[in-house]
Amino acid sequence: MCGRYSLSVQAEKIAEYFAIKDVPQVPVRYNIAPTQQVATVSLADGQTHRQFQWMRWGLIPSWAKDIKIGARLINARAETVTQKPAFRSSFKRKRCLVIADGFYEWQKVGKQKQPYYFQMKDGSPFAFAGLWDSWQPPEGETIISCTFLTTVANEVLQPVHDRMPVILQPEAYTQWLDPQNKNPEELLRLLGPYPEAAMKTYPVSTLVNSPTNDVHECIEESA
């Protein structure tokens, strides 16, 4: 699963890289955790331009009775996404990009877990494949929430974890975002492991274990 990640890219670079306009100032984050607000790109029905949108991490299906379900739906397995009731409707037409520049996974070492940080070799931002939905609580405003898809690990991830978040190739963004694209076979082909040659990893401090630690030291290589 993917349970923590980072985003420390300026709004101007996000706008350029993802071909979107009107990107607000995005706070630098080194330890983004479930139930927090995350930066996404989506495409509304009937529109051709991409939009920046904040969403709550942890999918709350439109039919949910309680917001608490979102904490259990932070990831969706690519292999079963078309079958699970919580995800299959969103997979059909509510797909998004979740903007990131690195993420964490933990390796079991005896009784301990050693965190590792993963990013692109060139440090560039990238996008997780996401699904979103809107939920109306009994009182208050509608909540837009999302989940990240996961797939089998590539060779960079395998020594640490057997799963990894789905990172989309830039040339697949348009295809993934288009709500009119309802071909499941075509979409599922986009959800394989990212090429390992483009990625790197290193061990980091256990500071990242606590979501209250949102500091640059979280992404610094540990001795």
Side-chain angles (χ1 to χ4, degrees):
M1 64 178 287
C2 176
R4 300 286 174 75
Y5 76 100
S6 67
L7 178 60
S8 57
V9 180
Q10 295 298 314
E12 294 77 11
K13 189 170 185 180
I14 291 174
E16 177 184 0
Y17 195 85
F18 293 97
I20 49 179
K21 298 180 179 179
D22 304 320
V23 179
Q25 288 303 312
V26 178
V28 172
R29 298 291 310 279
Y30 298 107
N31 193 7
I32 303 170
T35 75
Q36 296 178 356
Q37 294 294 301
V38 299
T40 73
V41 180
S42 59
L43 191 68
D45 261 336
Q47 297 188 4
T48 58
H49 65 277
R50 300 173 184 178
Q51 63 182 6
F52 178 96
Q53 190 171 21
W54 291 106
M55 297 185 185
R56 188 182 194 269
W57 184 7
L59 191 77
I60 310 167
S62 59
W63 44 259
K65 296 181 178 180
D66 194 307
I67 193 174
K68 293 179 181 178
I69 192 174
R72 304 196 302 272
L73 300 177
I74 66 170
N75 291 157
R77 293 175 69 95
E79 298 89 338
T80 57
V81 69
T82 61
Q83 305 162 27
K84 300 293 184 180
F87 306 126
R88 61 192 180 197
S89 177
S90 290
F91 182 75
K92 290 179 180 178
R93 59 187 304 167
K94 294 180 179 178
R95 300 179 296 271
C96 63
L97 308 176
V98 182
I99 308 169
D101 64 2
F103 64 95
Y104 303 90
E105 289 292 357
W106 282 257
Q107 180 186 50
K108 288 185 179 180
V109 182
K111 296 183 179 180
Q112 306 297 320
K113 287 188 176 182
Q114 170 63 53
Y116 282 77
Y117 185 62
F118 297 85
Q119 62 181 160
M120 297 299 148
K121 285 182 177 178
D122 62 3
S124 62
F126 54 85
F128 299 131
L131 307 176
W132 67 273
D133 207 346
S134 58
W135 179 73
Q136 180 61 56
E139 297 180 359
E141 297 182 355
T142 299
I143 296 174
I144 308 298
S145 61
C146 67
T147 188
F148 306 175
L149 286 155
T150 67
T151 186
V152 295
N154 64 19
E155 290 185 7
V156 176
L157 268 290
Q158 283 173 3
V160 177
H161 201 278
D162 62 354
R163 304 287 296 176
M164 69 178 293
V166 172
I167 300 172
L168 292 171
Q169 298 277 7
E171 56 268 26
Y173 293 169
T174 298
Q175 188 178 2
W176 178 252
L177 289 174
D178 184 3
Q180 299 306 314
N181 185 352
K182 301 175 184 178
N183 185 326
E185 291 78 16
E186 182 180 298
L187 293 166
L188 288 170
R189 282 196 292 269
L190 305 177
L191 306 181
Y194 199 79
E196 56 270 6
M199 298 181 66
K200 67 177 182 179
T201 185
Y202 52 82
V204 294
S205 166
T206 53
L207 270 175
V208 73
N209 291 0
S210 172
T212 61
N213 297 325
D214 192 359
V215 291
H216 189 270
E217 285 78 5
C218 288
I219 68 168
E220 294 178 359
E221 186 169 3
S222 63

